[in-house]
Structure formats: structure tokens, C-alpha cells
Amino acid sequence: MAGADFFDITINGYGRAWRDAERSKDAVVIAMTLGQALQTIVSRNVNPLKSAVLSITQIHAGSAYNVIPGEAKLCGTVRAFSDEVRALIRQRMRAICAGIGQRLPGRDHCRHPRHFQRAG
């Protein structure tokens, strides 16, 4: 039977106004890096004979044209026929978030997915 998980990931950087952008830790850039990395999970970790999809369906950050936002959010779904495959994807998502958080300077930028909620 097919199953789906919802996820929400919050990236915490340091927002700054345009005049001191060099002191920011751009949550949008971190979110885009994370988004690209998450898209490799299915293609590089899941057996091609097992169906799985990871979709980032929402990206939220900032509201001003001249301010680098300090927070970004990625939300989406993971779908697979196998609970085992969904568990593997959740594990890889957590590992990628932790890895990106460790490699970027400053505080912990990438919080692990806040929740995985099974859909219907």
C-alpha cells in the first residue's frame, strides 16, 4: 500500500539589511543548497525498482526586496509504496540537514525536519 509523509524544514541563518549583507548567513542560499541535496535522495539511495518521490512543494522566506531573510522554510511530501523506503528517505533527509548545518559557518542553520506526518 502506498504511503506519504509531510515534512517541514526550517533553516535559521542571520538576516541583514542590504548595507551589511556580508555579515548575513543567507537562509535562502542555504535552503536552495538543501533543496538540491534533497533531490538526490531518491536517485542515489533508493533502488530503481522501488517507487519513491520526494517533492518540495513550498518554499517560504522573507518579505522585503532589500533584506536578506534570517529564516527559510521548505515543506513537501515523501511518497513510496514501502514503509522501508520511506524510513530510508527520512533518515537521509535528517543526515543531509545535519551535514549542511555542520558545514556552514555560524550557528546551527538547518533544523531537522520538524515532523513527518503520515498522510491518509
Side-chain angles (χ1 to χ4, degrees):
M1 176 188 288
D5 293 327
F6 298 111
F7 64 85
D8 297 283
I9 301 171
T10 302
I11 296 97
N12 292 304
Y14 304 128
R16 295 282 188 227
W18 64 270
R19 67 182 169 278
D20 53 5
E22 74 281 358
R23 294 191 299 160
S24 72
K25 302 296 179 211
D26 195 333
V28 173
V29 172
I30 296 166
M32 296 300 93
T33 301
L34 177 59
Q36 282 188 300
L38 293 176
Q39 292 303 306
T40 68
I41 292 174
V42 172
S43 65
R44 298 297 181 251
N45 296 271
V46 177
N47 182 327
L49 300 177
K50 300 193 181 219
S51 296
V53 176
L54 186 154
S55 297
I56 298 170
T57 59
Q58 299 177 49
I59 301 171
H60 303 277
S63 60
Y65 287 100
N66 62 343
V67 177
I68 295 170
E71 182 178 277
K73 293 184 180 185
L74 300 176
C75 308
T77 61
V78 173
R79 298 180 184 274
F81 286 108
S82 159
D83 289 341
E84 201 174 279
V85 169
R86 285 186 16 253
L88 169 68
I89 293 170
R90 285 192 298 265
Q91 182 271 327
R92 291 298 303 137
M93 288 179 75
R94 288 186 179 107
I96 288 170
C97 282
I100 288 174
Q102 288 173 354
R103 286 185 174 81
L104 294 169
R107 66 182 178 181
D108 183 21
H109 296 293
C110 182
R111 292 186 185 164
H112 296 290
R114 279 198 213 152
H115 69 277
F116 285 95
Q117 176 183 349
R118 187 172 179 153

